Amino acid sequence: MSARVLVIEDAEAIGAAVSSALRESGYEVQHRLDGRQLETDLGRFRPDLVVLDVMLPGRDGFQLLEVIRRSSGAGVVMLTARDGVPDRLRGLAGGADDYVGKPFVLAELVARVSAVLRRLGRTPSTVQVGDLVVDADAGVVMRADRPIELTATELRLLVYLAAQRGRVVSKTQILTAVWGYEDYDPNLVEVHVSAVRRKLEEHGTRLVHTVRGLGYVLRAEE
């Protein structure tokens, strides 16, 4: 089961972008513009983590953080345009697990969310596809019980494909998730996918497949 993430962000464009990036990483996501129904969401949606903006209409992020800590064991990653150390300390002292200042790169936010969820034991760090094992926490990739050496970028790419296993992802999705910016040259994706594919196929059959006109998918052939 995918981890559930509740995004509370009053800027619709930011909230939509964050929600989309998290869904592309395999999470179940709900987005709210304020915290008016937080108590209901905690009871019904039961998020594993809350991405919580500080500057919200009505109850601000610090007040909502108190509600979360009283009634839920969900992780909390706070978002804010404030750069002041006192605000960061206040959030962390109040029980936030991490604090990300605006503006931010979506890929970094997703990575921080994933890291908090792994620390809380809410999502597995190890994914297996056929005879391929990818351990995101340890940075270890094994195929047929043999270690595979990848560069840092190749590892991020494979971790993303493993999280999306069985689903076709486009070059734009990969650029956003792995490089943090969709306007890079799409050829970057082709070059790194080819490198990962070559290394994986040294120890077995093809796992990274091209879906013409759509993108790539990681799956073991039956």
Side-chain angles (χ1 to χ4, degrees), residues 106-212:
L106 282 172
E108 179 186 0
L109 175 60
V110 171
R112 287 174 177 264
V113 166
S114 299
V116 171
L117 286 168
R118 287 196 298 270
R119 288 201 303 268
L120 296 174
R122 304 295 175 85
T123 184
S125 67
T126 301
V127 173
Q128 183 163 356
V129 180
D131 61 355
L132 173 70
V133 177
V134 181
D135 188 332
D137 278 351
V140 172
V141 176
M142 304 282 291
R143 181 151 199 208
D145 295 324
R146 298 177 183 176
I148 297 176
E149 297 295 328
L150 300 177
T151 67
T153 302
E154 290 167 357
L155 178 61
R156 288 198 303 272
L157 170 60
L158 185 56
V159 166
Y160 176 69
L161 291 175
Q164 303 297 319
R165 59 198 178 279
R167 287 181 285 210
V168 178
V169 290
S170 68
K171 290 181 181 178
T172 298
Q173 289 174 309
I174 293 172
L175 283 169
T176 300
V178 178
W179 280 270
Y181 189 56
E182 66 180 31
D183 290 337
Y184 282 120
D185 186 346
N187 287 331
L188 273 175
V189 177
E190 294 180 17
V191 169
H192 285 83
V193 166
S194 294
V196 169
R197 181 181 280 156
R198 183 179 65 253
K199 291 179 180 181
L200 294 181
E201 289 178 13
E202 289 176 359
H203 304 291
T205 58
R206 177 155 293 189
L207 290 175
V208 180
H209 305 272
T210 301
V211 181
R212 191 175 298 278

Side-chain angles (χ1 to χ4, degrees), residues 62 65 78 83-96 99:
F62 296 122
L65 177 60
M78 300 195 77
D83 294 324
V85 172
D87 281 331
R88 291 177 181 269
L89 293 177
R90 181 181 175 187
L92 294 172
Y99 211 113

Side-chain angles (χ1 to χ4, degrees), residues 31-46:
H31 174 215
R32 303 287 182 245
L33 297 175
D34 55 47
R36 283 182 295 179
Q37 64 181 74
L38 175 61
E39 287 84 352
T40 299
D41 284 329
L42 292 176
R44 292 184 179 176
F45 182 53
R46 295 179 290 109

